[in-house]
Amino acid sequence: IQRWVSISQLLRVANIEADDAVLLEATEIYSLEDLSAQKSVRLGEKLAKNNEREKILSELPDESKLSGWIEHAQHILDLNR
């Protein structure tokens, strides 16, 4: 059940699709807090490594998209404080 909770939380971020959330969860990004703490370049490296093993996405998000995810996760957290 925790896996679905993590994925549903990540789906709150703009432009994160279901497969993106599954790959993030497989990369040990379980929450908005986890995502907001990432650096886009390093996150891209981790996603690429896990996607090579898991074969979840046919095309990985670029650094710009990752930055947007991170910023939106931070924005959501700020709204909830």
Side-chain angles (χ1 to χ4, degrees):
I1 292 178
Q2 184 59 41
R3 180 171 191 241
W4 292 108
V5 171
S6 297
I7 290 169
S8 67
Q9 189 176 108
L10 294 168
L11 287 171
R12 294 174 57 199
V13 176
N15 300 315
I16 289 185
E17 303 294 332
D19 286 343
D20 299 323
V22 169
L23 181 57
L24 285 165
E25 195 268 342
T27 308
E28 299 181 357
I29 307 297
Y30 301 116
S31 66
L32 295 176
E33 290 83 1
D34 293 341
L35 180 57
S36 70
Q38 299 299 306
K39 301 292 184 208
S40 58
V41 173
R42 181 69 181 119
L43 178 58
E45 292 168 354
K46 290 190 238 181
L47 292 175
K49 180 179 176 183
N50 282 304
N51 194 58
E52 188 174 312
R53 185 180 67 239
E54 302 285 335
K55 309 274 191 264
I56 296 170
L57 299 177
S58 59
E59 185 177 328
L60 290 170
D62 61 24
E63 187 178 342
S64 172
K65 190 171 200 176
L66 296 175
S67 292
W69 291 355
I70 293 165
E71 289 173 20
H72 195 240
Q74 292 167 341
H75 178 71
I76 292 169
L77 291 171
D78 289 343
L79 288 175
N80 291 331
R81 290 186 185 157

